[in-house]
Amino acid sequence: LLVTDEILAVGDESFQKKCLRWMEDYRANGGSLLLCSHSMYHVQTLCEKAIWIHHGAAQQQGDAYAVTQAYLAHHESKSQLPAAQHVPLADPAVYPTMTDLWIADEAGVVSDVLPMGSNIVVHGIYRSPDDRPVPVMVGVVRIDLTPVFGTFSQDAGFECNRLGDRRFGFSFTLPHHALLPGRYQVRAHTLDEFGMRLIDTQVAEMTVQGKTRDHGFVRLAHTWGPGRERD
């Protein structure tokens, strides 16, 4: 059993590479490794299981990818900037207001935990005082409020359907979504009838889970190929 404590945080780059190669060989030959580290990349690379210690107690334990993603999401949320307070333009009885927003999986089950590459379905309901549908906007932001994607219903030629007296609804699907693991917010907004002014907002949070060491917010389709000299 090899016990290490932040061994990859010291020394120069060549020393770190030497340590990493040695530990990979050690594990390949049947050795057991206990790694203490703040580097989620090294935990994912070298470990199958992980325990997240928070204030001296086990916060979460299990699959290394699930634990490290929860750890990263926690620190993203700590750096989250306060959301701007939405100030209604006037009496809410006069303007279209969001009344409900929820997220479901591809089977229609309400869930805030979804796997990479699955279908994400967002459902929303709003109240329109003049009993007419209005444009809506749906966006996705990281938990620290970094924008990822947003789009308007009128750009797709979509009109929300009537659910009842002055109540309208919509669904918004991200098929086989490209979001990388992490914590996100889905934000839905009602707009004025011309789609020019944002009126009201509802927020739903979700966690994307999966095994990957890709970085960023989305996984873009890509291929690798042989190199060549510049023309």
Side-chain angles (χ1 to χ4, degrees), residues 39-47 63-70 72 114-117 142 177-182 184 208-222 224:
S39 169
M40 298 302 100
Y41 173 81
H42 290 128
V43 173
Q44 292 175 350
T45 300
L46 293 168
C47 304
D63 177 79
Y65 279 90
V67 174
T68 53
Q69 288 160 12
L72 292 171
L114 300 132
M116 285 179 60
R142 195 76 168 192
H177 73 88
L179 295 172
L180 287 174
Y184 296 86
V208 175
Q209 295 182 336
K211 292 188 175 183
T212 180
R213 290 207 299 268
D214 293 335
H215 292 275
F217 300 140
V218 297
R219 190 174 195 275
L220 302 178
H222 61 277
W224 291 86

Side-chain angles (χ1 to χ4, degrees), residues 5-65:
D5 184 2
E6 295 290 4
I7 187 65
L8 296 172
V10 298
D12 57 21
E13 184 175 354
S14 60
F15 173 78
Q16 293 180 22
K17 289 180 178 178
K18 180 180 178 180
C19 287
L20 190 59
R21 284 195 300 268
W22 192 94
M23 285 189 284
E24 288 175 336
D25 291 341
Y26 175 78
R27 285 201 58 222
N29 291 323
S32 297
L33 172 66
L34 177 60
L35 174 70
C36 176
S37 178
H38 288 92
S39 169
M40 298 302 100
Y41 173 81
H42 290 128
V43 173
Q44 292 175 350
T45 300
L46 293 168
C47 304
E48 297 176 1
K49 301 292 183 181
I51 303 176
W52 168 17
I53 304 297
H54 186 63
H55 294 308
Q59 176 80 8
Q60 184 171 333
Q61 58 185 314
D63 177 79
Y65 279 90

Side-chain angles (χ1 to χ4, degrees), residues 62-219:
D63 177 79
Y65 279 90
V67 174
T68 53
Q69 288 160 12
Y71 174 86
L72 292 171
H74 167 76
H75 284 282
E76 284 183 351
S77 64
K78 285 175 63 177
S79 63
Q80 178 178 348
L81 296 174
Q85 295 297 314
H86 176 65
V87 179
L89 297 180
D91 184 349
V94 179
Y95 292 92
T97 53
M98 294 291 306
T99 59
D100 201 4
L101 185 74
W102 70 96
I103 301 169
D105 62 19
E106 52 199 25
V109 178
V110 177
S111 177
D112 63 355
V113 179
L114 300 132
M116 285 179 60
S118 63
N119 295 343
I120 296 176
V121 186
V122 180
H123 297 272
I125 299 175
Y126 65 87
R127 181 182 181 277
S128 177
D130 61 4
D131 204 25
R132 292 187 299 177
V134 297
V136 295
M137 178 186 180
V138 174
V140 178
V141 300
R142 195 76 168 192
I143 197 63
D144 62 359
L145 302 184
T146 302
V148 177
F149 174 76
T151 190
F152 297 88
S153 61
Q154 70 265 39
D155 289 349
F158 173 78
E159 184 176 278
C160 300
N161 59 292
R162 181 186 301 277
L163 297 175
D165 182 35
R166 296 180 174 82
R167 296 175 67 249
F168 294 83
F170 63 89
S171 63
F172 176 80
T173 302
L174 294 170
H176 310 297
H177 73 88
L179 295 172
L180 287 174
R183 190 75 177 163
Y184 296 86
Q185 285 186 355
V186 176
R187 306 173 70 87
H189 314 274
T190 52
L191 307 175
D192 65 26
E193 59 182 310
F194 303 107
M196 299 296 292
R197 292 182 298 168
L198 187 151
I199 305 297
D200 196 29
T201 302
Q202 279 275 356
V203 176
E205 293 192 356
M206 65 179 180
T207 298
V208 175
Q209 295 182 336
K211 292 188 175 183
T212 180
R213 290 207 299 268
D214 293 335
H215 292 275
F217 300 140
V218 297
R219 190 174 195 275

